């Protein structure tokens, strides 16, 4: 959830760390802080609020040095205050620690430490770590040994980076929370996500659970929990520094909406035989021939993509269902070696999704990670991985990753169906072929949208409803989620047919209804539109060009290019993203950093 940056090396390390924190602010923006080791000890500056609040005072508070760490926080234990901001120190002020994750046994550890005379200054779970380190250092351990002793008593998840007076290295460890090394010629970075150091290096080392790393200006060493050396591969990212910048857009979210044509091009590149309409994913022929059922798990936007994928599979006759990852273990689904469980997760680090995948794996199911991040925990732990290739997404509210997830799931669904039946249906083959035109169609939506005009008409209403049927249902859910995430207005999505079973009681002239039409079962959805119009509600339809019945009935229309029904939802989602964006902009909301939310949810 939170953002960690560390830097050991030449140059202005504090500036490097601050730049990294700015690039990671999507992971948390309740408070931020930096610790620096110089020749006379450790200096710390930390503030509640966004990074800008820290930057306003840091130049007067910190000197310069070759080793620094920083943190931007999404609060779990204790409110966002100066005292609760990271880094946290021991009683002597000689050890500073930044931490992502949750130390589950922190209360017991804190009680024991206080009984031994330690004084705490924050409400956080993290603060037990520097005090434990202090004790082990006092007992004669070196810092690496003290860190291992400390790790041995911690329950929960963590990515930890430690800075200590008198040490020319940073020490780091991870379990259940991501931590990367960025390797440059004259400096080495630590970070919870690659955008922190992309403008300095694209060489990345992914630390794995149980790893302990020692980082200096000259390089790094990685050991396991017992101190035995381990090798971790250096990977080159194909992301560029520009991918993690606004590049002239007012918000990252708007930039990422506009990046969807290119993101989808990358998602399908090399994965379609255009002459036959066959998917060409990098799986052996018949790889899924022994699958009896498919379960897709995810959270938030990724769950909506999973719902879409389950609908695509079901249309091909595959036993498929989407399950919220946080509820997966409670649903007691059928799990055996003929069950394929697909974890849909942008970051590959979402705690609830990882928990569901591990639950499935322990019970003998085959697991597949559908993710955006090479080297992520999900990609490493699952039996297979399929990457959506969307590039870095900085805005907290997902946009381009949803489109890339759905497109990749369509290719996967066609592959699974072909392996199970020996051939693709004509409809599925047509959908795969239609993908090749999708990037240009996405660009047409972005270029020709009337979302800004419609947003001005409906920016200040009592509530907003989003309805759809079949594959339009997850699009409606995603439209409502995006709207509530960044506008802070009440929005609700549900199947169109459910209107008359309760939600219709809430419909008034002040509750616009966004109705999504997929090209299938449109007549029934049109009946639902007439139901809300009879109660005075304005209807904004999202539909293909030329759908005359809808065009004549709706009060407002957002059109998308005519395409295969399985792809209409991808185009419709872009229109709803733009509606959410423009309404939120008119309401002056913090679009890229909505309150109470963070990008990568690594706690359960």
């Amino acid at each position: 959830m939170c953002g960690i940056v560390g830097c050991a090396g030449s140059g202005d390390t504090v500036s490097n760390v601050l730049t990294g924190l700015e690039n990671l602010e999507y992971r948390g923006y309740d408070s931020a802080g930096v610790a620096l080791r110089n020749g006379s000890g450790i200096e710390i500056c930390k503030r509640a609020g966004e990074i800008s609040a820290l930057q306003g005072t840091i130049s007067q508070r910190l000197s310069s040095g070759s080793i620094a760490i920083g943190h931007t926080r999404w609060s779990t234990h204790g409110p966002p205050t100066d005292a609760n901001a990271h880094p946290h120190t021991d009683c002597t002020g000689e050890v500073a620690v930044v931490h992502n994750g949750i130390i589950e046994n922190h209360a017991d550890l804190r009680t024991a430490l206080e009984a031994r005379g330690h004084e705490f200054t924050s409400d956080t779970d993290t603060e037990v770590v520097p005090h434990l380190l202090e004790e082990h250092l006092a007992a004669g351990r070196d810092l690496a040994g003290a860190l291992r002793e400390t790790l041995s008593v911690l329950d929960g998840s963590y990515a930890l980076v430690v800075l200590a007076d008198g040490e020319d290295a940073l020490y780091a460890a991870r379990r259940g929370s991501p931590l990367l090394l960025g390797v440059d010629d004259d400096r080495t970075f630590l970070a919870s996500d690659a955008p922190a150091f992309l403008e300095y290096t694209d060489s990345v080392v992914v630390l794995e659970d149980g790893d302990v790393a020692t980082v200096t200006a000259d390089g790094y060493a990685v050991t396991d929990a017992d101190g035995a050396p381990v090798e971790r591969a250096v990977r080159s990212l194909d992301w560029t520094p520009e991918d993690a910048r606004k590049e002239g857009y007012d918000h990252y979210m708007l930039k990422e909406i506009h990046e969807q044509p290119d993101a989808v091009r990358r998602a399908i590149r090399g994965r379609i035989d255009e002459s036959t309409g066959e998917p060409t994913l990098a799986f052996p022929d018949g790889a899924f021939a022994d699958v009896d059922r498919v379960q897709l798990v995810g959270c938030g936007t990724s769950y909506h993509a999973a719902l879409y994928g389950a609908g695509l599979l079901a249309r091909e006759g595959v036993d498929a269902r989407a399950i919220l990852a946080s509820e997966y273990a409670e649903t007691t689904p059928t799990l055996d070696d003929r069950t394929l469980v697909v974890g849909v997760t942008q970051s590959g680090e979402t705690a609830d999704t990882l928990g569901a995948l591990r639950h499935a794996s322990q019970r003998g199911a085959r697991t597949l990670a559908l993710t955006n991040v090479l080297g992520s925990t999900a990609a490493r732990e699952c039996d297979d991985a399929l990457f959506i290739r969307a590039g870095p997404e900085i805005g907290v509210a997902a946009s381009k990753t949803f489109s890339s997830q759905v497109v990749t799931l369509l290719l996967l669904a066609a592959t699974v169906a072909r392996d199970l039946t020996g051939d693709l249906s004509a409809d599925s083959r047509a959908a795969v072929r239609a993908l090749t035109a999708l990037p240009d169609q996405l660009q047409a939506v972005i270029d020709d949208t009337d979302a800004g005009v419609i947003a001005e008409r409906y920016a200040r209403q009592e509530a907003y409803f989003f309805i759809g049927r079949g594959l339009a249902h997850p699009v409606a859910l995603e439209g409502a989620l995006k709207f509530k995430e960044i506008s802070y207005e009440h929005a609700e999505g549900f199947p169109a047919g459910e209107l008359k079973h309760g939600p219709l009681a809430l419909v008034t002239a002040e509750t616009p209804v966004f109705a999504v039409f997929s090209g299938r079962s449109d007549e029934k959805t049109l009946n639902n539109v007439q139901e809300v119009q009879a109660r005075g509600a304005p209807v904004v339809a999202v539909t293909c060009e030329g759908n005359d019945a809808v065009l004549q009935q709706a009060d407002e229309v957002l059109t998308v290019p005519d395409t295969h029904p399985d792809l209409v939802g991808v185009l419709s989602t872009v229109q709803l993203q733009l509606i959410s964006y423009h309404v939120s902009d008119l309401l002056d909301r913090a679009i890229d950093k909505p309150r109470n939310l963070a990008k990568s949810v690594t706690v359960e």
Side-chain angles (χ1 to χ4, degrees):
M1 212 85 92
C2 308
I4 283 175
V5 185
C7 181
S10 62
D12 185 353
T13 55
V14 171
S15 176
N16 293 344
V17 167
L18 281 172
T19 297
L21 291 179
E22 285 183 294
N23 292 341
L24 293 187
E25 200 168 12
Y26 59 89
R27 296 182 66 92
Y29 30 89
D30 293 340
S31 58
V34 171
L36 166 74
R37 188 189 68 77
N38 60 27
S40 59
I42 295 177
E43 299 177 10
I44 291 178
C45 182
K46 54 185 186 176
R47 288 285 302 274
E50 298 184 1
I51 302 289
S52 56
L54 177 69
Q55 290 171 320
T57 58
I58 202 165
S59 60
Q60 292 84 33
R61 297 278 299 276
L62 294 185
S63 58
S64 61
S66 60
I67 296 181
I69 58 175
H71 188 271
T72 180
R73 183 173 183 244
W74 186 82
S75 301
T76 55
H77 295 75
T81 62
D82 288 0
N84 287 333
H86 298 214
H88 291 289
T89 61
D90 65 332
C91 295
T92 68
E94 295 179 355
V95 174
V97 173
V98 291
H99 165 231
N100 290 351
I102 290 179
I103 307 302
E104 294 175 356
N105 60 335
H106 72 98
D108 291 340
L109 292 171
R110 184 182 187 123
T111 298
L113 286 162
E114 287 177 331
R116 297 197 293 269
H118 291 267
E119 296 183 4
F120 284 73
T121 60
S122 79
D123 304 313
T124 69
D125 57 325
T126 302
E127 198 181 352
V128 299
V129 176
H131 289 288
L132 288 167
L133 289 168
E134 177 189 358
E135 288 195 340
H136 296 307
L137 289 169
R141 293 279 190 180
D142 61 13
L143 189 53
L147 179 57
R148 288 190 180 87
E149 291 284 353
T150 298
L151 298 177
S152 70
V153 300
L154 300 182
D155 294 334
S157 62
Y158 52 75
L160 289 166
V161 181
V162 180
L163 178 153
D165 189 25
E167 293 281 342
D168 290 325
L170 297 174
Y171 294 81
R174 74 155 282 178
R175 182 172 73 195
S177 194
L179 195 59
L180 312 174
L181 300 175
V183 184
D184 198 10
D185 291 338
D186 55 358
R187 57 195 158 187
T188 309
F189 295 89
L190 283 154
S192 45
D193 209 349
F197 50 72
L198 265 182
E199 56 197 90
Y200 306 110
T201 179
D202 62 0
S203 296
V204 175
V205 176
V206 179
L207 297 181
E208 299 186 9
D209 278 359
D211 284 353
V212 177
T214 305
V215 173
T216 66
D218 298 325
Y220 63 94
V222 183
T223 64
D224 63 18
D226 297 321
V230 295
E231 294 293 328
R232 298 288 178 243
V234 180
R235 310 170 188 265
S236 293
L237 294 177
D238 59 1
W239 298 353
T240 68
E242 289 73 24
D243 291 332
R245 296 181 186 140
K246 289 182 186 176
E247 294 295 299
Y249 289 90
D250 290 338
H251 299 91
Y252 280 113
M253 183 181 180
L254 185 60
K255 173 178 180 272
E256 288 155 4
I257 289 172
H258 281 249
E259 288 175 341
Q260 287 177 101
D262 285 339
V264 168
R265 281 191 187 94
R266 290 193 298 271
I268 66 176
R269 185 177 297 141
R271 291 174 166 177
I272 299 173
D273 184 329
E274 294 185 30
S275 63
T276 64
E278 293 272 347
T280 56
L281 297 179
F283 296 108
D285 290 342
F288 303 103
D290 60 350
V291 169
D292 284 344
R293 66 195 66 83
V294 180
Q295 297 163 3
L296 301 99
V297 296
C299 305
T301 290
S302 293
Y303 170 66
H304 298 155
L307 273 174
Y308 205 118
L312 293 169
L313 284 159
R315 182 160 293 122
E316 291 301 308
V318 180
D319 180 0
R321 59 185 290 214
I323 307 170
L324 283 164
S326 58
E327 293 292 313
Y328 184 72
E330 309 301 324
T331 64
T332 59
T334 300
L335 287 168
D336 56 30
D337 61 0
R338 300 182 70 85
T339 306
L340 174 66
V341 180
V342 180
V344 185
T345 163
Q346 186 281 135
S347 67
E349 304 291 349
T350 308
D352 289 322
T353 306
L354 289 174
L357 289 167
R358 289 163 181 162
H359 176 86
S361 182
Q362 289 165 4
R363 284 153 183 80
R366 177 179 174 182
T367 56
L368 185 153
L370 191 132
T371 182
N372 194 33
V373 182
L374 186 72
S376 62
T377 300
R380 295 197 316 272
E381 291 189 1
C382 286
D383 298 310
D384 297 293
L386 185 56
F387 296 99
I388 67 172
R389 304 172 177 171
E393 187 174 64
I394 306 301
V396 168
S399 54
K400 65 177 179 177
T401 51
F402 178 80
S403 300
S404 296
Q405 285 171 337
V406 169
V407 165
T408 309
L409 282 167
L410 188 148
L411 292 170
L412 178 64
T415 302
V416 172
R418 181 185 60 196
D419 285 356
L420 289 175
T421 64
D423 196 9
L424 276 181
S425 68
D427 189 55
S428 183
R429 197 180 299 275
V432 172
R433 278 201 178 100
L435 282 174
T436 60
L438 187 62
D440 289 340
Q441 292 172 328
L442 286 165
Q443 191 63 56
V445 171
I446 292 166
D447 291 343
D448 301 332
T449 183
D450 291 324
V453 175
I454 291 175
E456 290 211 13
R457 293 175 186 158
Y458 299 106
R460 294 169 178 85
Q461 303 293 306
E462 287 182 356
Y464 301 81
F465 295 145
F466 295 74
I467 63 172
R469 193 180 296 268
L471 293 180
H473 170 220
V475 173
L477 294 179
E478 177 60 14
L481 176 62
K482 213 56 52 202
F483 199 96
K484 71 183 74 172
E485 277 182 312
I486 62 173
S487 76
Y488 312 156
E489 299 297 311
H490 178 74
E492 187 175 352
F494 40 80
E498 287 299 296
L499 262 174
K500 56 189 175 291
H501 297 294
L504 203 57
L506 298 174
V507 170
T508 72
E510 299 298 318
T511 55
V513 177
F514 289 83
V516 184
F517 293 84
S518 69
R520 291 191 172 106
S521 302
D522 283 357
E523 301 85 358
K524 292 182 179 180
T525 304
L526 201 54
N527 290 336
N528 304 129
V529 163
Q530 293 168 336
E531 290 169 359
V532 298
Q533 286 178 321
R535 276 79 181 173
V539 171
V540 180
V542 188
T543 187
C544 286
E545 298 162 345
N547 193 340
D548 292 338
V550 175
L551 297 176
Q552 293 169 9
Q553 184 67 41
D555 299 286
E556 311 276 1
V557 178
L558 290 166
T559 60
V560 301
D562 190 29
T563 186
H564 190 280
D566 287 355
L567 304 186
V568 173
V570 179
L571 299 170
S572 300
T573 297
V574 177
Q575 292 283 26
L576 296 180
Q577 291 169 352
L578 288 164
I579 284 287
S580 298
Y581 174 82
H582 287 298
V583 168
S584 302
D585 196 33
L586 289 165
L587 297 175
D588 198 27
R589 305 304 193 207
I591 290 173
D592 286 334
K593 296 177 280 189
R595 67 188 180 198
N596 304 331
L597 301 178
K599 184 71 178 172
S600 178
V601 186
T602 57
V603 295
E604 294 180 310

